[in-house]
Amino acid sequence: MDNLYAVVVTYNRADFLRNLLQSFTRPGSAPAQVLVVDNASTDHTADVVAQAISAGGPPIRYERLDRNVGGAGGFSRGVELALESGAEWLWLMDDDVEVLPGAVDALDKFTPDYSCMIGRRYDANGNPFFWQHHFVESLGIFLPVSRDVFKHSDVFRTNVGNFEGMLVKATVARDIGLPDPRFFITWDDLIYGWLAAQRTPVVYVNAFVIKKVRAQRQVDLGLRHLNDSSDLSRRYVMRNRGHVAHYLKSYGKYNRAGFAAGTALTFLKEVARLVLVERTLKGSGALWRGWRESRSILADTDWKPMPPVPAHPGTGRRRD
């Protein structure tokens, strides 16, 4: 694919980042450029990037932010930089994954027909990584699909995104705007994929292209897995329900009663995560704090979605 930019956001995971940058040098896995957005890391991230630049491989552009703006803010800045630089495709990923040999070539097979896609992933143990495939708009929550989605085709239509390898065409990114930094963490990638799905088919493709390197505690519930979390993540899972509601409203798809039910289900899922995976209820206070914050966000009458990104002079005309 033409002019592919990998956008990587990192924060105090220098060794994971080193592994990811090295994986871009594997056969069939090199983008045209790698953009590393550093959320004001305090570890040896800058040294790792400098070593990767010296080692050769795909060109690397490094920008260290002056404060931690979360994954959402980091991807917002990274997508902005990529679009300003004239990228035609954007490959969005966290720092705790690696790309597999032939990943770019595997995804490229689908680009003639689709402008936004997510490849398959392995977890740290080499098993297929669970992923929620469908956003139920009436509830405002994401749910798994129980059946084998690739039984009859290598392409499965979805309506969500994931910043562990989401591939999106620049024209689509310009239309839906930058990832919303107000999310800080959680929901940002899922909603970004949902926004793309309002404009173009978003597909999950049967090609293993990413491996999660950071191991997580998890419980296998059959249909889905529950991974460990943190109080910060729990807070933002609930807090960002306010932003999710506004996005649904902006597309005329907000159902007040259904969304309330979805919020209750989200809360219960996080409690189940605490009990089953982390064997505690100490994080429930973060859930309540996030829920209260979500009410304030939902009451904000000045809230607006992220605007489209105009084409910059010299980067070419927008193409539909």
Side-chain angles (χ1 to χ4, degrees):
M1 70 194 80
D2 296 330
N3 215 19
L4 169 65
Y5 278 50
V7 177
V8 177
V9 175
T10 190
Y11 175 66
N12 281 347
R13 289 180 180 165
D15 294 328
F16 283 123
L17 178 64
R18 176 186 287 110
N19 182 70
L20 172 57
L21 296 178
Q22 289 175 346
S23 73
F24 284 126
T25 67
R26 293 171 173 171
S29 296
Q33 187 169 120
V34 180
L35 294 176
V36 177
V37 178
D38 179 1
N39 260 324
S41 294
T42 57
D43 63 1
H44 53 293
T45 291
D47 293 336
V48 164
V49 175
Q51 291 165 7
I53 293 173
S54 299
I60 298 174
R61 176 177 176 181
Y62 174 63
E63 178 167 309
R64 185 182 188 278
L65 305 180
D66 59 6
R67 62 188 178 91
N68 183 3
V69 294
F75 279 109
S76 187
R77 177 56 177 158
V79 170
E80 181 180 35
L81 288 173
L83 294 177
E84 288 177 351
S85 301
E88 294 184 51
W89 287 90
L90 293 81
W91 201 11
L92 312 177
M93 61 187 68
D94 292 327
D95 54 8
D96 59 350
V97 301
E98 65 180 21
V99 297
L100 301 178
V104 171
D105 292 343
L107 292 173
D108 194 35
K109 296 176 183 178
F110 299 95
T111 57
D113 299 312
Y114 301 102
S115 298
C116 186
M117 68 191 73
I118 303 97
R120 301 186 71 178
R121 295 169 292 158
Y122 293 113
D123 65 16
N125 297 319
N127 300 314
F129 193 78
F130 171 79
W131 186 60
Q132 299 182 108
H133 305 100
H134 183 63
F135 182 50
V136 181
E137 295 168 346
S138 60
L139 298 173
I141 61 175
F142 297 87
L143 294 175
V145 177
S146 59
R147 67 184 186 276
D148 179 2
V149 299
F150 298 119
K151 185 176 182 179
H152 303 293
S153 172
D154 284 336
V155 175
F156 175 73
R157 183 81 172 261
T158 184
N159 65 349
V160 293
N162 188 288
F163 288 166
E164 290 180 353
M166 178 177 174
L167 181 70
V168 59
K169 201 168 187 178
T171 50
V172 175
R174 290 189 183 280
D175 283 342
I176 64 178
L178 304 177
D180 194 333
R182 291 172 293 189
F183 282 107
F184 191 72
I185 57 170
T186 78
W187 290 98
D188 52 327
D189 51 353
L190 299 168
I191 290 298
Y192 202 62
W194 179 78
L195 290 170
Q198 308 310 300
R199 291 163 171 79
T200 189
V202 175
V203 293
Y204 185 35
V205 298
N206 189 17
F208 281 96
V209 296
I210 296 288
K211 180 180 179 182
K212 183 92 168 180
V213 177
R214 182 173 60 91
Q216 293 180 271
R217 288 182 296 164
Q218 63 176 225
V219 173
D220 187 348
L221 301 179
L223 180 59
R224 64 157 300 155
H225 296 83
L226 285 178
N227 297 320
D228 59 0
S229 187
S230 66
D231 281 353
L232 184 66
S233 179
R234 279 183 277 273
R235 172 190 166 195
Y236 277 87
V237 162
M238 295 303 299
R239 172 191 179 273
N240 288 340
R241 297 285 295 167
H243 292 305
V244 173
H246 277 300
Y247 272 107
L248 287 168
K249 286 183 176 183
S250 68
Y251 283 85
K253 297 183 177 182
Y254 177 72
N255 180 306
R256 183 175 181 179
F259 192 84
T263 298
L265 289 171
T266 301
F267 188 94
L268 291 173
K269 184 187 77 172
E270 293 304 316
V271 170
R273 189 193 308 275
L274 280 169
V275 173
L276 297 176
V277 183
E278 302 179 42
R279 309 289 183 176
T280 183
L281 280 173
K282 290 183 178 179
S284 57
L287 296 175
W288 285 113
R289 179 183 177 187
W291 178 78
R292 290 192 296 270
E293 291 173 333
S294 77
R295 305 304 298 170
S296 297
I297 294 170
L298 190 54
D300 181 4
T301 57
D302 294 325
W303 191 99
K304 290 181 175 58
M306 296 293 286
V309 180
H312 291 272
T315 60
R317 294 180 298 175
R318 287 177 55 175
R319 296 177 299 196
D320 296 326

